[in-house]
Amino acid sequence: MSSSPVWHPFHQHGLGEPIPLVERAEGTTLYTADGRRVVDAISSWWVTTHGHNHPRIMKAIRAQTEKLDQLIFAGWTHEPAETLARGLVDMMPDGLGHVFFSDSGSTCVEVALKMALGTFYNRGEDKRSRILVMEHSYHGDTIGAMSIGARGVFNRAYAPLLFDVGTVPFPAAEPQPTYDALEAACAVGDVAAFIVEPLLLGAGGMLTYPPAVLAELHAICARHGVFFIADEVMTGWGRTGTLLACEQAGITPDILCLAKGLTGGSMPLAVTLASDEIYDAHYSTDRAKMFFHSSSYTANPIACAAACANLAIWREEDVPGRIVSLSAKLGSLLESLSTRDDVTNPRQCGTMIAFDVAVPDQGYLAEIGPRLRDHFYGQDVLLRPLGNTVYAMPPYCIEDADIARIADAMASGLDMLRA
Ligand SMILES: *Cc1c(COP(=O)(O)O)cnc(C)c1O
């Protein structure tokens, strides 16, 4: 029995698994209280893009703490939010001119859903209220975000609270069934929006599909006047090889969700970017048509200052170059493991690599994730398999020696399972 009152997320305390205490971090390294140096191979759950405690981001946070800590954001504003919003509009695809702030990936997704429904409602088209999603998707853990995500053990107990959505199949090798399902669902006329993780489905098992498919899904929605919501909470900020995954398909969504890497992974902050069409449907002299959403810490100034520093890093440093170089190195790592007969479905999307472990005994499946996780921690590498899917997505500053440690940990982990 642990003496800590802390209740951890996605953690079964009853198993008595050790919970490492981290004292500080720098770059790709976590320093634990018991003196270990652990490679953060999953960017602290997909958020840390440029590395931990990035000097420019930490400096911006310190400077902002001298000026303004927090401010009501309903009808008031501050410089970090204004600078950040302008920076985002400049950096993101043309046509996304309006920036709404919130605090997490889940909330920026819920804001997106509310924007889509609010737009049709304000136009008197409130029959359009259905949401379409892609099979295996993950959009967060609040009630609304769970409702639009894949159903399973993660949310079975809360099913009575979840609303109904339409689901199109994941575009596997043959995408036509996905197109047909989307086309048919859109044709009914009751759909407000289709929400999708572009190119890479994260929590659903690091599943990838090509840019051409994403472009076609966007085209189908556009033909039917269905809003296209891109959830780039995980894929944004370079993870898939480009600033946004949508860029690779040459599309601009109607609504764009960004969080995780928005502050370089240093502070909780999220934004939902919207097109003129969506903003204009809420713009009126009628107060009943305003956008009804807020949380206490909307656009917290210190978090905004951290995000401004992230944008400056993207503008002034060769982040794309780092991403290209890291992608190539991860590609070779994956290739060397792919020759093993216990490695199946090797896949890469930019700076994310993944494979599935072939396990003869399917009943054993549930156990291999935690066994591998323990093994990786024994090797001082933070990797957290999703079921039998092993993946890595390190910060872009990772050094070759640490990439080699990830490769060794993966290989020895597979050997351990076979022994
Ligand atoms: C992590 C994630 C979310 C939820 O973000 P939180 O900040 O954890 O609420 C939403 N969508 C996607 C695609 C994610 O990967």
Side-chain angles (χ1 to χ4, degrees):
M1 262 276 284
S2 149
S3 58
S4 169
V6 176
W7 191 348
H8 287 265
F10 280 84
H11 183 86
Q12 179 47 272
H13 285 268
L15 292 173
E17 291 167 346
I19 299 177
L21 180 74
V22 174
E23 285 181 335
R24 63 190 180 89
E26 199 184 326
T28 318
T29 311
L30 306 175
Y31 297 86
T32 67
D34 60 358
R36 304 175 78 154
R37 301 170 56 136
V38 179
V39 182
D40 187 351
I42 58 166
S43 300
S44 275
W45 247 357
W46 322 345
V47 301
T48 310
T49 47
H50 311 296
H52 288 278
N53 285 43
H54 191 284
R56 292 181 72 167
I57 298 175
M58 295 302 112
K59 188 174 167 213
I61 290 172
R62 277 195 299 274
Q64 184 57 37
T65 62
E66 302 288 324
K67 292 188 234 166
L68 177 66
D69 56 347
Q70 162 66 9
L71 178 73
I72 177 175
F73 208 63
W76 290 72
T77 197
H78 51 78
E79 193 268 335
E82 296 295 331
T83 304
L84 176 56
R86 274 194 301 273
L88 285 168
V89 169
D90 284 349
M91 194 176 262
M92 295 297 155
D94 288 346
L96 294 169
H98 309 278
V99 180
F100 192 92
F101 288 95
S102 58
D103 322 298
S104 71
S106 305
T107 53
C108 74
V109 160
E110 298 214 359
V111 163
L113 302 180
K114 287 172 72 171
M115 283 179 174
L117 263 74
T119 296
F120 287 117
Y121 183 86
N122 283 352
R123 287 182 188 163
E125 299 173 62
D126 53 336
K127 291 281 184 300
R128 273 200 186 256
S129 60
R130 195 166 165 76
I131 303 294
L132 295 181
V133 305
M134 183 183 281
E135 182 191 18
H136 304 312
S137 296
Y138 176 80
H139 298 288
D141 275 342
T142 53
I143 303 295
M146 276 194 293
S147 297
I148 57 171
R151 306 294 163 100
V153 64
F154 302 119
N155 47 39
R156 198 160 289 140
Y158 328 117
L161 301 177
L162 307 186
F163 57 79
D164 186 37
V165 295
T167 305
V168 304
F170 176 77
E174 174 46 67
Q176 194 60 43
T178 308
Y179 302 154
D180 293 345
L182 184 60
E183 185 80 48
C186 287
V188 176
D190 62 349
V191 176
F194 174 56
I195 181 163
V196 71
E197 292 172 85
L199 304 187
L200 173 59
L201 275 60
M206 298 296 157
L207 307 173
T208 61
Y209 60 94
V213 172
L214 181 61
E216 181 59 25
L217 298 175
H218 179 261
I220 294 168
C221 291
R223 270 205 300 282
H224 291 278
V226 166
F227 290 131
F228 189 93
I229 305 173
D231 176 356
E232 295 238 22
V233 167
M234 188 267 278
T235 53
W237 306 106
R239 192 48 75 186
T240 68
T242 43
L243 176 64
L244 293 184
C246 282
E247 276 173 46
Q248 295 178 42
I251 59 163
T252 300
D254 299 289
I255 305 178
L256 171 66
C257 303
L258 296 171
K260 294 192 168 120
L262 170 59
T263 58
S266 63
M267 298 277 291
L269 184 71
V271 287
T272 308
L273 271 64
S275 66
D276 286 346
E277 181 184 1
I278 285 160
Y279 181 80
D280 291 349
H282 294 84
Y283 187 89
S284 164
T285 51
D286 180 356
R287 286 181 194 277
K289 290 191 169 179
M290 70 172 86
F291 187 52
F292 292 103
H293 189 94
S294 175
S295 61
S296 309
Y297 289 103
T298 300
N300 172 264
I302 300 170
C304 287
C308 287
N310 171 47
L311 265 60
I313 290 168
W314 273 90
R315 276 193 300 260
E316 295 157 26
E317 297 181 18
D318 184 22
V319 183
R322 266 174 232 157
I323 288 171
V324 167
S325 146
L326 174 57
S327 302
K329 290 171 187 171
L330 291 174
S332 330
L333 189 170
L334 186 63
E335 208 177 290
S336 66
L337 287 173
S338 303
T339 56
R340 301 178 59 116
D341 57 10
D342 47 2
V343 167
T344 59
N345 297 323
R347 48 204 187 268
Q348 176 170 21
C349 189
T351 60
M352 188 293 303
I353 51 164
F355 59 85
D356 300 336
V357 182
V359 238
D361 176 7
Q362 294 292 312
Y364 200 57
L365 254 184
E367 278 309 305
I368 77 163
R371 280 185 71 204
L372 281 170
R373 203 206 310 152
D374 290 350
H375 171 85
F376 296 142
Y377 184 57
Q379 307 288 305
D380 291 339
V381 176
L382 166 50
L383 283 169
R384 205 183 145 94
L386 289 158
N388 70 324
T389 299
V390 175
Y391 72 93
M393 51 162 89
Y396 309 147
C397 64
I398 188 168
E399 288 174 9
D400 292 355
D402 285 337
I403 297 177
R405 284 172 66 189
I406 298 174
D408 289 347
M410 285 181 170
S412 61
L414 291 165
D415 292 343
M416 178 271 302
L417 290 180
R418 240 189 339 214

